[in-house]
Amino acid sequence: MKLIYFAWLRERIGVPEEEVELPPEVKTVGDLMQWLAGRNEAYAYAFENPKIVRAAIDRRHVKPAAVIAGAGEIAFFPPMTGG
């Protein structure tokens, strides 16, 4: 599965995108964020407050409970602000 990281998430993790093979227990976006946070210190720092991290599956914004089965790509980004 392709994962894409934007803004400070990309800076904290150190890569703009990556291909990963997920374990079978990772079924939702929330599960994925928790799994990523357990990978190493950089991911833990990036996902230290998962409530503020936003996600999109195949370019559609989703909630943490969204099921990821069949997704081509998942993007993670910080909250957006207007101005």
Side-chain angles (χ1 to χ4, degrees), residues 33-78:
M33 286 193 280
Q34 184 177 7
W35 179 77
L36 288 168
R39 290 179 85 188
N40 66 39
E41 190 174 292
Y43 288 92
Y45 181 44
F47 291 97
E48 69 184 346
N49 188 355
K51 290 181 181 180
I52 65 168
V53 175
R54 303 294 179 245
I57 295 177
D58 297 328
R59 300 183 182 187
R60 293 185 60 204
H61 291 254
V62 296
K63 302 279 186 194
V67 176
I68 61 175
E73 72 176 30
I74 299 178
F76 292 102
F77 46 92

